[in-house]
Amino acid sequence: MTQNKTWQNKVAIVTGGSSGIGKATALELAAQGAKVLVTGRTEETLAEVAASSDSIEFLQADSADIKSGNQIVNAAISNWGRLDLIVNNSGAGQPLPIEAYDATVIANMSALNIVAPSLLVKAGHAALRESKGAIVNIGTAVTQGAAPQLAHYAATKAALDHLTKSWAIELASDGIRVNAVSPGPVKTGALTGMMGLPDEIAQRVEAQEAAQIPLRRRGVTSDIVPWILQLGSADNAWLTGQVLTVDGGWSLRS
């Protein structure tokens, strides 16, 4: 992306900003002139992201903690005095066949994929109303079809899609736009990280996904980040309530 004035001196929060799509989004926002607060659980990786740009600060915070929403918004406003964009990127997912259903695992997915973004939106509402800002939720293309063993991951992300549309209506009178990006299989390390798969199995899954995608490759973060910035940009002042699937055609497969 070439730099323009769209993001100059704007302030963004990117949850789950220490790796993958969140990290790439934070770096691009900073490159475009924004001030960015990244959050996550691991201080070391967050510090590495923040060290990449004077425009990035970090807050070690577990989004599953119900107090984190207020802490995150307060940190951003304390640093820069305003808030223009929330990117709800943090999330949880894990392969879970029916015989392995576990209440704690399912509750954690619900906490991170539904409760956490809800409370962050609540905490940021007043500041976003003042700036006429935006919210971009990060979902998944997995919601587009049946998801054996990923049913609860897909279900909780489908709930986030519904929240996106509901918030778009509820917050429209405040001038706040709400949209979502649903990526397909992207090279982020999520298979061995968030999903907890062994390397060998992750490699097999990656090869299988690449073969399924009509454009014949898995995505990379640079396929996704421009759409996050587009949906969050004030330049798109009449676009709200949309869930954009970016997956190389993967969700269209029969």
Side-chain angles (χ1 to χ4, degrees):
M1 283 184 156
T2 56
Q3 189 169 7
N4 56 46
K5 295 182 179 180
T6 299
W7 293 103
Q8 206 68 34
N9 298 318
K10 297 295 179 66
V11 175
I13 290 169
V14 181
T15 64
S18 62
S19 64
I21 292 170
K23 176 181 177 179
T25 299
L27 292 174
E28 187 58 38
L29 282 166
Q32 294 290 327
K35 310 296 184 183
V36 187
L37 179 71
V38 293
T39 74
R41 294 175 176 174
T42 307
E43 182 175 3
E44 182 179 358
T45 52
L46 288 167
E48 289 174 359
V49 176
S52 302
S53 171
D54 292 338
S55 296
I56 300 176
E57 299 289 339
F58 75 89
L59 176 68
Q60 184 180 14
D62 183 352
S63 291
D65 183 344
I66 60 173
K67 298 177 183 177
S68 68
N70 285 325
Q71 292 169 347
I72 293 166
V73 170
N74 289 342
I77 293 175
S78 176
N79 278 322
W80 300 296
R82 61 181 294 144
L83 178 61
D84 300 276
L85 174 66
I86 291 175
V87 180
N88 278 310
N89 173 70
S90 64
Q94 182 177 325
L96 208 60
I98 290 174
E99 60 272 16
Y101 280 0
D102 179 275
T104 301
V105 173
I106 294 169
N108 183 60
M109 279 190 262
S110 299
L112 279 165
N113 297 344
I114 303 174
V115 179
S118 299
L119 295 182
L120 185 56
V121 166
K122 177 185 178 182
H125 181 192
L128 289 174
R129 180 174 57 213
E130 184 174 346
S131 68
K132 299 296 186 286
I135 298 162
V136 179
N137 298 319
I138 308 302
T140 174
V142 175
T143 61
Q144 301 300 309
Q149 299 194 25
L150 291 174
H152 290 89
Y153 172 60
T156 51
K157 285 295 191 176
L160 185 60
D161 290 348
H162 187 84
L163 288 169
T164 297
K165 297 174 183 180
S166 296
W167 292 339
I169 297 299
E170 192 168 353
L171 297 176
S173 61
D174 293 326
I176 301 169
R177 298 178 305 102
V178 189
N179 294 287
V181 175
S182 293
V186 176
K187 298 176 182 177
T188 62
L191 292 178
T192 55
M194 180 180 71
M195 293 291 180
L197 297 178
D199 286 340
E200 182 179 343
I201 295 177
Q203 289 173 16
R204 287 206 302 266
V205 170
E206 288 177 355
Q208 182 181 45
E209 288 174 341
Q212 293 171 338
I213 296 170
L215 291 180
R216 290 303 183 194
R217 67 171 176 86
R218 299 177 83 243
V220 293
T221 56
S222 59
D223 293 318
I224 307 301
V225 171
W227 296 107
I228 296 173
L229 269 63
Q230 285 284 347
L231 292 177
S233 170
D235 292 341
N236 293 311
W238 211 48
L239 182 65
T240 196
Q242 302 305 301
V243 178
L244 176 66
T245 300
V246 185
D247 67 352
W250 184 63
S251 59
L252 301 176
R253 71 199 191 285
S254 57

